[in-house]
DNA sequence: TATGAATGAGTCTTCATTCAT
DNA sequence: TATGAATGAAGACTCATTCAT
């Protein structure tokens, strides 16, 4: 019933095995996100994946392990997305505000808005206590790598004379905070963020950030 | 630290009734916060409150209702805390940066750090789907009242010539975002925020905010 | 809220004790009738009686005993009602059909329609297995005494030449069956029997009975 | 005695599925009949059916639904039984009393004595309040169809000059009442009706009925 | 591999009953 | 005597997990 990504790319070799596994992971990500770990039932996941309960066990073991694999997968995907976006950071800008705004919008769209990433954060917060190792992986791949990477880019801009920054790490954290401001509020009040607002958010955040840190 | 209503009014009459109910609510708040709604067991709540399971049911009905009452109570308390702090906002500052930093620290401590408020936010996010009415109450009393209230104070400062703000509502959102920056990151990586860091956070957030919005 | 029979007769001496006990019994009769034994809760009975749960236990012991007392009381009352009506049986009738119809109507009204008696029958049927002794009492005071009593009256009428009956016991059973016909059907389809229909039922039953057994 | 649908169609394929469901329904009918709705436990039903509790839930959902299905099934079966017997009604009798007695005995045996039907009536009475829709179905298929059907047969006999009946509907009700007389009394006093007595009951009821309604 | 069934544990909820006040 | 609380035992229902087919 579902458009399996595996079915598109490959032809005959082990499509069932792979695609089933992926279907389960996708379904599990959804259900965990919607229900939380405790309230998510294996049956619901199996049903949404269109496979039998037993297949879930065969492919991914018990609930704890399934959860771990799901989180690991999303962590990885989310991290890859982030670094792909980061490559577009305007290290040598002509028009800093315009270019940084564009980058910000891309970052918001691909790395912050991303449902996967959002649910991941929530899940890790909620279930962090139950899965400490997971927590560690996530911390390492999430905040542990992303903030320093941004800080490095900002430092580069400062060195190049575009910004006036004393503490790049702090500036990076504040930059992200400003970016995510309205996204977070929307999430808190249960409101979907419409695609069109993302550009405004990027513009406003960048503007304020540059008012604070642009070299005058 | 807790203002017990019974302690105010009398000595001997009916302290158990009231205090039991309150003990249950406190215990429930803790357990819900730690475990989430689905994983929180009534038995655990009763045990932590030092009462019998039956007393929980007698006093507060079923799990759904218990949850609603807990959230309503925390919402109220948290809102009251916020507005008490808001009264100390430096509307006519002599030294804006110092006074706003002080206010920021107080706000962080009483209204943002506040465990009650934090868990409340998380719970409402996680269980919002299951309790839509709750969601509404929270939105109304939470973001719906707090951001406008801060925006109004910032607008006052702008009018008085201290700030250069075009959109007070946006500024308010960004101010809070900057304030909560490190708090949120700490929460995400499961790190307790030590008391001593709060002042630094307030200072850094205020500094950046003023770099962006102070009248030059 | 309820018109307590005890309150009518006496003034001050031990009205609480007696009336409370009676209130409990009345309430219990209602609740048992409506809910059945298993589904009837002591709390519901106590609440309906307007007394505390403990008082129920003090006055009437545990649930089993309460049930027994209720049934015994209704058995007795119902039996008394029946025999009071039986005294009006037309042993020496002038116009047999008219007089027997009148008696039948009275019997229907006082002894068959009587809610107490009806619920009693149902309860005894339903819970008979759980309370064999009760069953015995009821059998003895109910069918065990009533049918023979009616049979005796019918035999008297036969002896006096009004009826042509070979087996008075059988005739008694059939007489009651004919009387209760529509009442039972109404009960089965959950329809209240309106007061006005009772006379028609008595007339029809008596007519058929006499068509079968009247001396020609 | 039980017509198992599986037994008709095949030998090996999928007998478990169907037979398990049926086993549960049979067991549930028994337990509900013996204990009433409230006191019947799912575990008891599962145990008597020789299946696990979970299988009960898988096959038939919760207790309410299980009850509804059981009642619906018995209603249907009981109705079918009745109309099968009704086909043997002596519409053109040579010896009316003999033939009607035979029919009466058959009706008693198959349709009135039938444990299924009896328990059904009791259950519907007792739990009618909790399941109003059930009540309606039962009324429609039970009294709503059976009495008219009998009335029609009696009217036919009257037309053919065998009976002297003014109100066939009333006569039908009285006929059934006479038939069930002793059965009901036995049930009330908790006495099993021995097979041998059924003929006597049929004979006595028919005799009285004909004494009242036979054309002289 | 998929399916139905089984198992055993666990949670929510209600109840009867008893104690202390 | 009445009240609130406590206890212990069900019982409904769900779930994770495993077996057999």
């Amino acid at each position: 019933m579902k458009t399996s990504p595996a079915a598109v790319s490959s032809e005959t070799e082990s499509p069932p095995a792979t695609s089933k596994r992926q279907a389960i992971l996708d379904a599990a990500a959804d259900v965990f996100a919607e229900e939380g770990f405790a309230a998510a039932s294996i049956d619901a996941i199996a049903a949404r994946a269109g496979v039998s309960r037993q297949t879930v066990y065969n492919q991914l073991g018990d609930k704890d392990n399934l959860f771990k694999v799901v989180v690991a997968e999303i962590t990885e995907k989310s991290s890859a997305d982030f670094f792909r976006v980061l490559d577009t950071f305007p290290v040598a800008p002509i028009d800093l505000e315009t270019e940084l705004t564009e980058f910000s919008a891309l970052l918001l769209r691909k790395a912050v808005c991303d449902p996967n990433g959002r649910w991941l954060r929530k899940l890790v917060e909620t279930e962090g206590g139950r899965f400490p190792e997971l927590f560690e992986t996530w911390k390492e791949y999430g905040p542990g790598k992303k903030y320093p990477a941004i800080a490095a880019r900002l430092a580069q801009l400062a060195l190049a004379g575009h910004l006036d920054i004393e503490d790049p790490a702090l500036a990076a954290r504040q930059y992200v905070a400003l970016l995510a401001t309205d996204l977070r509020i929307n999430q808190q009040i249960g409101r979907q963020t419409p695609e069109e607002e993302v550009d405004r958010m990027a513009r406003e955040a960048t503007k304020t950030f540059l008012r604070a840190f642009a070299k005058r």
Side-chain angles (χ1 to χ4, degrees), chain A residues 139-157:
Chain A
K139 266 156 48 180
E140 188 182 334
Y141 279 80
K145 294 211 164 163
K146 294 177 181 174
Y147 285 110
I150 294 181
R153 300 301 188 288
L154 293 180
Q156 238 178 313
L157 283 183

Side-chain angles (χ1 to χ4, degrees), chain A residues 191-204:
Chain A
R191 176 173 175 265
Q192 285 289 340
T193 296
E195 183 56 28
E196 318 88 64
E197 290 192 18
V198 174
D199 287 316
R200 177 189 58 75
M201 293 179 187
R203 208 177 330 114
E204 288 171 350

Side-chain angles (χ1 to χ4, degrees), chain A residues 15 17 80 86 92 98 108 130-131 139 158 181 201:
Chain A
L86 195 62
T98 303
L108 268 182
R130 240 187 297 279
F131 301 94
K139 266 156 48 180
T181 300
M201 293 179 187

Side-chain angles (χ1 to χ4, degrees), chain A residues 155-173:
Chain A
Q156 238 178 313
L157 283 183
L159 258 185
H162 294 104
L163 297 181
D164 180 15
I165 291 179
E166 299 136 36
D167 181 348
L170 171 62
R173 299 199 301 274

